[in-house]
Amino acid sequence: MSDAKPNGHPKFSELPTAVCPAHAQPDHPKIPPAKIGILLANLGTPDGYDYWSMRRYLNEFLSDRRVIDYPAWKWQPLLQLIILTKRPFSSGAAYKSIWNEEAGESPLMTITKDQTAAIATEMETAFGDQVMVDFCMRYGNPSTESKVRKMIDAGCQKILFFPLYPHYAGATSATANDEFFRSLMKEPWQPPARIVPAYFEHPMYIDALAKSVETAYAAAEKKPDLLICSYHGMPTRYLMQGDPYHCQCQKTTRLLKERLGWDDTQIKTTFQSKFGPEEWLQPYTVEEVARVAREEGKTNIAVIAPAFSADCIETLEEINEEIKESFEHAGGEDFLYIPCLNDDPAHIAALSQVIRENLKGWLD
């Protein structure tokens, strides 16, 4: 019996922890000890902000039918001939403005690595060597397929897949799950798998959000007049088709308001990152911040992005530059961006608790 694996996998017997199963024949291939894989997943990032790195990344992202669901015969010519000719330059410039030059990677990559390391420590404390924690990206590197293979090769006989999106949406959670399932399709021995559901109303997540707001407000020279909860947008027709994202965002804002002990005048839900000509979820953040400054006289606001588990291009560049500029041009004076939860201990504790809850029956 050969111990070689197909699809370019290393031999189990080459792993330092691999052993021959009890009661097996002497020539049985060695296999690694069984463990459970915890695979965190985020959106992704280009490998660099140069033209070709940006083009590869944008092509993969914008070719995803979960993201852009127009017919391929209509969308692909527009994407390949026009959008991917111009957009890598503007997107590359945006990434360059926030790039972690010291590490040679985007902030999303740096933060996701830090989150993974912190969660791995929590899991090791709870479960010892029974688990393996790693991360993947839906687009770009490290790919979901490569990390699924790595986990199986390391002896993971069960995998808990955790899309790091508090709110479910077809263009985020679902496409991450799709890629995970496609990766499993390529494995000769598929491990049992679980998907972590959206955690938009988890008490520890809401508490972590509230604490970040309280900390930011306490440090501000002037208390903001209004907190804008800016969520990533999506076409309104997705809501009409049954996507629960809009409702989950609204509930997060309500729960955050209740946890802070505020009333409706102190907090507002908006949506950012509109793309294309059709109507998206409203109000649009970039327009609403200008309106409240111009029409309501709220010249001191704070903005938080509850739908993002880590700061990225949409928060560091879009909110802190484009949306801030719109507010100031309309007469706004003080603009406070409250960072994503990132690797804050309260966030790591919340994510770790979500993981523990979803491991029940596998590890207790």
Side-chain angles (χ1 to χ4, degrees):
M1 181 176 180
S2 172
D3 59 356
K5 293 192 69 182
N7 300 324
H9 291 232
K11 297 179 179 179
F12 279 151
S13 59
E14 295 175 353
L15 298 173
T17 57
V19 296
C20 185
H23 311 298
Q25 295 295 325
D27 61 347
H28 191 287
K30 295 180 179 180
I31 61 174
K35 60 183 66 177
I36 292 174
I38 300 168
L39 184 56
L40 312 174
N42 216 320
L43 181 74
T45 170
D47 295 326
Y49 50 75
D50 60 281
Y51 177 84
W52 290 109
S53 293
M54 289 304 312
R55 184 178 176 110
R56 283 192 299 272
Y57 175 73
L58 290 172
N59 183 46
E60 184 180 9
F61 175 47
L62 296 176
S63 292
D64 186 347
R65 292 298 301 275
R66 289 279 195 179
V67 176
I68 306 291
D69 64 351
Y70 300 146
W73 65 265
K74 180 186 295 185
W75 173 243
Q76 281 298 321
L78 177 63
L79 175 65
Q80 301 298 328
L81 299 177
I82 298 177
I83 296 174
L84 291 181
T85 300
K86 300 178 179 179
R87 187 153 179 170
F89 291 108
S90 59
S91 294
Y95 268 98
K96 184 177 181 179
S97 71
I98 65 166
W99 201 254
N100 182 348
E101 295 288 357
E102 182 177 352
E105 61 192 21
S106 74
L108 177 64
M109 179 67 76
T110 302
I111 294 166
T112 303
K113 288 178 178 178
D114 292 342
Q115 290 173 325
T116 303
I119 291 173
T121 298
E122 290 282 328
M123 294 299 103
E124 183 178 5
T125 299
F127 304 115
D129 60 1
Q130 297 180 81
V131 298
M132 172 183 178
V133 181
D134 208 339
F135 77 96
C136 65
M137 297 295 186
R138 169 60 184 90
Y139 313 105
N141 297 305
S143 70
T144 304
E145 180 180 339
S146 69
K147 289 307 178 81
V148 167
R149 287 185 173 182
K150 179 180 177 182
M151 285 191 159
I152 293 175
D153 290 340
C156 293
Q157 296 186 8
K158 297 175 182 176
I159 297 178
L160 180 69
F161 186 68
F162 191 176
L164 291 176
Y165 306 108
H167 310 80
Y168 176 93
T172 54
S173 310
T175 189
N177 294 341
D178 290 345
E179 189 67 11
F180 176 59
F181 295 138
R182 279 192 290 266
S183 299
L184 290 178
M185 289 172 62
K186 299 177 182 178
E187 293 301 326
W189 183 5
Q190 291 181 328
R194 288 180 179 174
I195 304 297
V196 176
Y199 55 97
F200 65 97
E201 59 185 347
H202 196 284
M204 291 183 68
Y205 161 67
I206 298 298
D207 191 58
L209 281 178
K211 287 177 178 176
S212 73
V213 172
E214 290 167 342
T215 299
Y217 272 45
E221 292 184 5
K222 292 193 299 182
K223 182 181 177 180
D225 304 317
L226 178 69
L227 176 65
I228 299 284
C229 293
S230 181
Y231 298 86
H232 198 288
M234 70 178 186
T236 303
R237 62 185 171 85
Y238 289 10
L239 169 63
M240 299 298 104
Q241 293 167 357
D243 194 303
Y245 178 74
H246 177 265
C247 299
Q248 292 181 359
C249 293
Q250 295 287 358
K251 186 168 186 179
T252 291
T253 299
R254 176 175 65 80
L255 293 174
L256 176 60
K257 178 193 71 174
E258 293 171 356
R259 163 61 178 76
L260 290 167
W262 291 359
D263 59 43
D264 290 340
T265 65
Q266 296 171 282
I267 193 168
K268 181 183 288 287
T269 295
T270 63
F271 299 90
Q272 65 181 84
S273 308
K274 181 181 183 297
F275 178 80
E278 65 180 304
E279 179 182 308
W280 280 40
L281 297 177
Q282 296 187 43
Y284 302 136
T285 305
V286 69
E287 296 177 1
E288 188 65 10
V289 295
R291 190 195 68 78
V292 298
R294 184 174 55 250
E295 299 179 12
E296 299 183 10
K298 295 185 185 298
T299 58
N300 178 14
I301 68 169
V303 178
I304 192 171
F308 297 90
S309 63
D311 275 307
C312 54
I313 193 73
E314 286 87 357
T315 62
L316 298 175
E317 194 276 335
E318 184 178 1
I319 291 179
N320 223 11
E321 295 183 22
E322 178 185 344
I323 291 170
K324 178 181 179 181
E325 185 177 301
S326 174
F327 173 69
E328 292 175 342
H329 281 177
E333 298 174 0
D334 297 295
F335 183 95
L336 173 64
Y337 170 61
I338 301 175
C340 292
L341 295 176
N342 297 325
D343 62 342
D344 182 88
H347 190 213
I348 298 303
L351 295 177
S352 298
Q353 179 59 23
V354 171
I355 290 171
R356 282 191 288 268
E357 291 170 3
N358 282 273
L359 284 174
K360 287 182 177 179
W362 282 0
L363 287 173
D364 295 311

